[in-house]
Amino acid sequence: MARTRCDRTPAWAQLQLAYDNSGKAFDLRQAFAQDAGRFEAFSQSAPYVFADLSKNRIDAATDKLLFDLARQSGLQEHRDAMFAGEKINHTEGREVWHVLLRTPPESSQDGSHRSVELAKVHETLNAMLAFAESVRSDSGITDVVNIGIGGSDLGPQMAVIALDAFATTGKRLHFVSNVDGHELAATLKTVKADSTLFLIASKTFTTIETMTNARSAKAWFEAQGGTDTARHFAALTTNVAAANAFGITTTFGFWDWVGGRYSLWSAIGLPLAIAIGAQGFREFLAGAHAMDEHFRTAPLEQNLPVRLGLLDLWYRNFHGFTSRSIAPYHSALRRLPAYLQQLEMESNGKRVDAEGAALPFGTSPVLWGEPGTNGQHAYFQMLHQGTDVVPLEFVAVKKPRHALASHHTLLLANVLAQAQALMVGKVDAGGHKHFPGNRPSTFLLLDDLTPASLGALIALQEHRVFVSGSLWGINSFDQWGVELGKVLAKDVEARLGSGDTTGLDGSTAGLLARLRA
Ligand code: F6P
């Protein structure tokens, strides 16, 4: 499968020209004034998600060049290679196959690798969902504590909170991720050993934070007189042997070809399945699958993940915007920004291309945000009047799941007004009260926040990250950048015990001595 790095395509040079000639000075207000059909032209429907892209600094000519860029760089071939299970994560020698986790079962098997893996996916899914149902109907279990970090925490935690309106069992779900003992200690204070189920979630079953928390949770359980580990501990991991060696016999596996930050759809989703039930979890998978099919089959020009990924590249590489802010106007989506940070920044925070050559352009933006309207009273000042332009991505939900109708009207009024204010600005000669406007935003609209629409929204984000990473020519599926700190932490841990500072830099040595004093 041939990929051409974006800056080596003819379209890249044309985009640079377009940026210099008109893109740089592009004014959204003029664009709307000149084109009554702009909203329709720059809107895109996808499964469960409607996107208004019209308040972005693009026009038909730029769009055309961006689609040319996608074609010239081999985006479709790369996408198809992912769906076909080619080992596109070449630095780890792995397929990138999270889409298989939400692919419906096939009635006949043809013996192919794909067919064998898909059968395993459904066998595990059925077992995991049966277990979730048994926990749901077990009145002896009141609390579920998920111990995991990164992809083994952010996804399930974000989704459990997002779908709280669908949680019907009354079980309390807790998430412990940090190695900071304050977190586990605080959780253990609120639960009882005989009514708690601990889920040890770790793809590798070696992550130091998770293993440390798991050992302490097990020691606490035993100190409380707990003996039935099979009932009170389950492991969600690709490393079932390590989980067994740890003393856990109830295990749900997944596979190397599921990246940690793409694992919510696997056994790592068990907390969500316990919260919303088997049917709800299947709807969640179905929503994601609908978005997968859209990404796989829709023409580039009507393909929402492609349009978003191209916009990300246009802003990062031509406009030079270094960050993107996400503003979910729904309090249940409050962990979405944290989840998206790992998805975008661990995937695309890379400085070399697939061949290991240093890149001459920027990659992952800094992703950040808070739910609206809270962000408005914190950092929106900077978004409206600061020196940097930060493209915003609003997420709004038409239908509330509460009866306080006036609140929802006010919430929707705010999200519309913010997008409007960013774009139109306000002229004031005095300076301090002047709003420059022309600040771009994307508006994602869901009819309702349901398991299916959340699944689609998350799959949309996964695929848009794929698109920009693919165009940048990087491997979006490894994460070598997290390794050095892990290795050094082991060394420093030993030195904190011994006090040995030999060979350390002056700052680390000085801080270490202070911590030991
Ligand atoms: O440190 C980064 C990372 O490897 C993430 O990619 C991953 O989601 C997280 O750690 C947790 O890993 P594991 O599930 O293997 O414990």
Side-chain angles (χ1 to χ4, degrees), residues 148-152 201-207 210 254 259-261 263 268 342 346 479 482-483 486:
I149 197 164
S152 300
S202 176
K203 178 178 172 182
T204 54
F205 225 76
T206 57
T207 303
T210 301
F254 56 109
R261 52 193 174 276
S263 63
I268 294 293
Q342 185 193 20
E346 196 169 55
Q479 55 284 316
V482 300
E483 293 306 321
K486 289 185 190 172

Side-chain angles (χ1 to χ4, degrees), residues 157-240:
Q157 189 185 159
M158 174 276 294
V160 163
I161 295 171
L163 296 176
D164 183 55
F166 294 81
T168 46
T169 56
K171 309 265 181 235
R172 286 181 293 267
L173 279 115
H174 312 262
F175 290 85
V176 174
S177 54
N178 202 324
V179 75
D180 180 351
H182 291 108
E183 201 170 63
L184 179 63
T187 302
L188 293 180
K189 263 193 220 159
T190 66
V191 300
K192 291 200 171 66
D194 60 3
S195 58
T196 299
L197 168 66
F198 290 95
L199 304 177
I200 312 303
S202 176
K203 178 178 172 182
T204 54
F205 225 76
T206 57
T207 303
I208 190 105
E209 291 92 334
T210 301
M211 291 302 102
T212 304
N213 280 322
R215 270 193 298 274
S216 298
K218 196 153 164 261
W220 172 87
F221 174 75
E222 286 161 2
Q224 304 287 308
T227 50
D228 192 353
T229 315
R231 174 169 158 74
H232 291 280
F233 281 80
L236 321 173
T237 183
T238 59
N239 191 353
V240 170

